[in-house]
Amino acid sequence: MKHADIKETAEALFNEQRNPFGAFTLGSETHHAVTIPDAVRRCRWIAVDMNASAFGLLFVSPSPERARLVPCFDSDYPGIAVATKFISGANGEEIVRHTRLSTEPRWWTDDGVLAMAELFTTLAWTEQMAALVPGTSGIAFPVHADRGQCGLVVFLGSEMTLQQDALYEIHARCFSLFAAVARIRPGDTGRMRAISKRELECLKLTANGNTSEEIARLLKLSVHTANQYLTQSTQKLNAVNRNQAVAKALRLGLIE
């Protein structure tokens, strides 16, 4: 099935069945704004419907020199899971090439669970691939959005359940989710590096009006270390200073 066909099928599914996210159809220009935490929750709902134990959303890097996947978030948000690091490593190059050309889902089994292999082989319009994460079973849904952006929504688990009819619905929901995330920071969302818990704590205290000295005292850190955390979070958010970093973190829902 071609990209245009799956996008049409996905949109039809959402027009027939109300979008469970309460967001927008694939072709609409108006939609409710979402934050990354919103998107994480929505992806978790999809994972629950599949009985998947882990998930992740990754962007395909726009650079033509090296095909790779860039993590946006996963089930360990705001951190990055080990599985996601595997997917965004060398193991992801083949699926990146596939994602740029097709929306056909790819699955793998490498955990010795026979039931998962039996489940996936019953699904039409999917193909097996080499394991993205050693010792796991999973399925990857290629997704596309405006401005030529594309990526993968990946689900992992040894007890997943997925029927043929549900496959198309899940893929449609992944399309909608990816389109929403791609609109948050067009062309740049996938390049944000993971921000640590300590860095977020420093940003939140800064947002509350605390100085570096006060942050150091509250978190039992040296002033130098507190400033280092703030500098690192500022760089990861592509901000020019800590005030802009706080504003971006608030807008993305990283802090409240």
Side-chain angles (χ1 to χ4, degrees):
M1 187 178 290
K2 296 180 179 179
H3 166 55
D5 296 332
I6 181 57
K7 190 167 184 178
E8 183 177 342
T9 301
E11 185 170 2
L13 277 165
F14 270 110
N15 287 337
E16 292 171 5
Q17 305 171 23
R18 292 182 64 85
N19 188 333
F21 304 155
F24 56 97
T25 59
L26 295 174
S28 69
E29 292 300 324
T30 59
H31 56 85
H32 298 301
V34 300
T35 64
I36 293 296
D38 289 333
V40 173
R41 284 191 291 271
R42 295 172 184 184
C43 202
R44 198 178 304 280
W45 295 341
I46 301 174
V48 168
D49 288 344
M50 298 173 59
N51 200 35
S53 58
F55 60 84
L57 186 150
L58 305 94
F59 278 73
V60 171
S61 63
S63 173
E65 287 82 16
R66 184 189 171 213
R68 69 188 187 97
L69 289 163
V70 183
C72 179
F73 64 77
D74 60 32
S75 38
D76 279 8
Y77 177 84
I80 294 293
V82 173
T84 303
K85 293 177 181 178
F86 267 106
I87 296 172
S88 59
N91 286 353
E93 292 185 5
E94 180 182 348
I95 191 65
V96 164
R97 288 191 289 271
H98 169 73
T99 298
R100 285 174 169 168
L101 300 172
S102 174
T103 55
E104 185 177 63
R106 289 286 188 266
W107 58 268
W108 72 92
T109 56
D110 191 42
D111 55 6
V113 179
L114 183 61
M116 293 312 305
E118 293 176 344
L119 169 70
F120 289 138
T121 53
T122 64
L123 298 174
W125 190 62
T126 67
E127 284 192 16
Q128 188 174 6
M129 64 173 291
L132 283 180
V133 184
T136 68
S137 288
I139 186 166
F141 293 94
V143 284
H144 295 246
D146 295 338
R147 304 177 185 87
Q149 296 180 90
C150 60
L152 279 182
V153 183
V154 181
F155 299 94
L156 298 90
S158 58
E159 299 180 354
M160 284 191 285
T161 57
L162 185 60
Q163 302 300 316
Q164 187 67 56
D165 289 345
L167 174 76
Y168 302 118
E169 181 189 356
I170 293 293
H171 204 167
R173 292 168 69 183
C174 290
F175 257 97
S176 183
L177 174 65
F178 184 75
V181 173
R183 289 171 186 260
I184 297 174
R185 297 178 67 197
D188 189 49
T189 309
R191 289 196 288 272
M192 188 176 71
R193 289 179 289 163
I195 300 177
S196 71
K197 182 179 178 181
R198 267 291 191 236
E199 290 165 353
L200 289 175
E201 288 174 340
C202 290
L203 277 178
K204 186 171 184 178
L205 288 170
T206 300
N208 291 336
N210 292 285
T211 64
S212 296
E213 290 75 14
E214 291 168 335
I215 292 171
R217 186 178 70 255
L218 289 168
L219 298 180
K220 295 181 172 55
L221 305 170
S222 68
V223 176
H224 171 75
T225 301
N227 281 327
Q228 190 173 37
Y229 281 132
L230 287 167
T231 297
Q232 290 169 349
S233 60
T234 298
Q235 292 172 344
K236 290 178 179 180
L237 286 165
N238 295 319
V240 296
N241 54 45
R242 64 179 62 177
N243 289 331
Q244 188 183 40
V246 166
K248 284 192 171 187
L250 287 167
R251 179 166 58 85
L252 291 170
L254 297 174
I255 60 175
E256 299 178 354

